[in-house]
Amino acid sequence: MNVIETEGLTRRYGDRTVVDGLDFRVRKGSVHALLGPNGSGKTTTVRMLSTLLRPTSGQARVLGFDTVVDAVRVRQRIGSVGQFHSVDPRLTGAENLTMFARLSGMRARVARRHARDLLERFDLADAADQRVQNYSGGMRRRLDILAGTVVRPAVLFLDEPTTGLDPRSRNDIFGYILNFVAAGTTVVLTTQYLDEAERLADAITILDGGRTVATGTPAEITAAVGAGLDLVVTSADRGRAVELLTGFGAREVGSTAVQEDSIRLSFGLDEEPELLPILRALDADGIDVHDIGRRRASLDEAFLALTERTTAS
Ligand SMILES: Nc1ncnc2c1ncn2[C@@H]1O[C@H](COP(=O)(O)OP(=O)(O)OP(=O)(O)O)[C@@H](O)[C@H]1O
């Protein structure tokens, strides 16, 4: 069952179309990541889905309700955490959450208890009575997410939940998100971190220039982009090896030094390469191959290939 469905969802600012005819579906209980370079329309899409922004044309339904006609019903059932802090820095963590719980209709005593419970469960009990202005970035982001989820929402929208955080705080937030999912919440998140999408998402939509360039599971997306090839050669042969592989339709996507004088070159290809002709050509050119291997394309390669292709066209 889909909890989100969009048809031709479009947003223009003046004569600029920043979200251009999006059609996508989000399955109940899944984590769906919207990925894309800066300015590709991720935030605008999430703002439309969470009723904060009206589409210029097209429509979106969340839990069966139209985000414009039935905006109030949508709002009652979703949680939304934007890129900017929603909590009040002059209040304590407990006061902030109590306030959000009261705003969602809880009675004062119940709200206070609920706020304490949440802070306890999400490792912020020690900081419950400190003013938020003294919190670290990671603590504050966690509190933000709690504020957006005081009442467990059926659908949770998170706009770049871990941008700027250290690895430990990011891990904590991944844990939270998976907690919500385990409890039945569907999550839509935007991210610029491919590892985040790979770790959390059941499905990914890659946006570029306001359009969908790929959608599917991480495995489907990487398979659609093609294959990868790793080649270890002497550093001095690098230029010639890259030139030769380019002749086979490979794109260089990265390199790492292996030892003092050898280098691992990584290539992306549209299709699974045949190694024998490549090895013969390298040999004929006098290039010493230390190691060669095929691998699946990574999500990084998929992202670069897909977003480059549309930018170039
Ligand atoms: N209120 C606005 N008025 C005019 N243009 C806007 C407005 N809001 C967003 N845009 C433009 O729409 C485009 C898409 O912005 P959006 O914030 O949705 O992208 P994004 O993919 O979330 O980017 P980022 O990763 O940088 O957050 C950008 O070029 C932005 O400048």
Side-chain angles (χ1 to χ4, degrees), residues 186-250:
T186 304
V187 175
V188 176
L189 63 93
T190 74
T191 182
Q192 302 194 34
Y193 298 121
L194 296 159
D195 67 314
E196 188 161 304
E198 207 145 33
R199 262 186 71 179
L200 293 176
D202 305 296
I204 294 174
T205 295
I206 300 185
L207 298 181
D208 196 20
R211 292 178 191 217
T212 304
V213 292
T215 187
T217 63
E220 283 165 354
I221 289 181
T222 53
V225 166
L229 178 89
D230 280 347
L231 182 67
V232 180
V233 294
T234 307
S235 306
D237 287 339
R238 177 193 180 140
R240 281 194 302 145
V242 169
E243 197 178 321
L244 195 141
L245 265 293
T246 306
F248 280 91

Side-chain angles (χ1 to χ4, degrees), residues 13 16 18 37-44 83 160 192:
Y13 287 110
R16 272 195 67 203
V18 300
N38 287 129
S40 54
K42 305 181 294 293
T43 299
T44 306
Q83 273 176 40
E160 301 197 9
Q192 302 194 34

Side-chain angles (χ1 to χ4, degrees), residues 3 27-30 63 77 152-156 177-187:
V3 293
R27 266 189 310 110
K28 186 170 193 289
S30 67
L63 297 155
R77 290 163 174 81
R152 190 169 66 75
V155 182
L156 174 59
I177 295 174
L178 292 173
N179 249 318
F180 287 117
V181 178
T185 295
T186 304
V187 175

Side-chain angles (χ1 to χ4, degrees), residues 206 213-214 218-228 249 251 253 267-272 296-307 309:
I206 300 185
V213 292
E220 283 165 354
I221 289 181
T222 53
V225 166
R251 303 172 293 273
V253 290
F267 297 91
L269 292 107
D270 290 336
E271 284 167 26
E272 188 87 354
R296 286 186 69 133
S298 67
L299 198 55
D300 283 35
E301 285 160 358
F303 183 83
L304 287 173
L306 289 163
T307 52
R309 268 180 220 164

Side-chain angles (χ1 to χ4, degrees), residues 3-19:
V3 293
I4 298 177
E5 294 182 338
T6 74
E7 273 149 41
L9 191 68
T10 299
R11 176 72 203 195
R12 287 190 203 95
Y13 287 110
D15 54 7
R16 272 195 67 203
T17 304
V18 300
V19 172

Side-chain angles (χ1 to χ4, degrees), residues 141 145 158-163 165 173 177 189-191 196:
R141 198 67 188 137
I145 294 179
L158 298 167
D159 196 5
E160 301 197 9
T162 66
T163 295
L165 299 183
I173 287 180
I177 295 174
L189 63 93
T190 74
T191 182
E196 188 161 304

